[in-house]
Amino acid sequence: MKAEELKNLIINILQEKPRFFDHVNTKDVKFLLLEHYNISVSEKMIIKVMMQVVEEGKSKFGGDGYECGDGSTLTWADEHEVAGSKMTGLHKYWWFNI
């Protein structure tokens, strides 16, 4: 799957199931996509696409992230902001609805 296709799928999911990616890290997103949509993509692609979605939402809606179907906003933080952790690498990224 190409990044643009994944981005469109994630945006559709956020409209239909706004809390689907609430309080998940990169590994969780990978698992959810595989379990519910039978899609396997790299964790690097997940980070890239999820960050594009959040940035697109900031540009489009003027808030802190992507506006979902229920009016909540999908945004992100790294592990340091979430739990004061020293975790590094791909799994430090978290997405959540506010």
Side-chain angles (χ1 to χ4, degrees):
M1 174 173 274
K2 295 184 178 181
E4 190 65 29
E5 293 171 318
L6 180 60
K7 180 177 149 191
N8 291 334
L9 174 65
I10 288 172
I11 288 171
N12 288 337
I13 292 170
L14 291 172
Q15 295 311 308
E16 295 171 9
K17 302 174 186 175
R19 303 284 175 161
F20 191 76
F21 297 113
D22 190 16
H23 203 72
V24 295
N25 66 17
T26 308
K27 193 183 241 183
D28 298 332
V29 173
K30 183 174 180 141
F31 175 77
L32 287 169
L33 291 173
L34 185 59
E35 180 181 22
H36 294 275
Y37 295 92
N38 201 28
I39 294 171
S40 180
V41 293
S42 73
E43 293 172 349
K44 286 183 179 182
M45 182 186 280
I46 290 169
I47 293 169
K48 175 184 173 186
V49 169
M50 292 293 282
M51 297 307 280
Q52 285 176 350
V53 168
V54 169
E55 288 304 313
E56 182 177 305
K58 287 180 181 179
S59 297
K60 186 175 180 181
F61 304 112
D64 294 324
Y66 196 89
E67 188 173 316
C68 302
D70 65 352
S72 66
T73 301
L74 182 77
T75 191
W76 77 282
D78 67 24
E79 182 72 17
H80 302 285
E81 294 174 9
V82 174
S85 169
K86 304 229 184 278
M87 182 182 273
T88 60
L90 297 176
H91 304 294
K92 73 178 186 173
Y93 294 90
W94 286 81
W95 292 273
F96 55 93
N97 291 65
I98 54 174

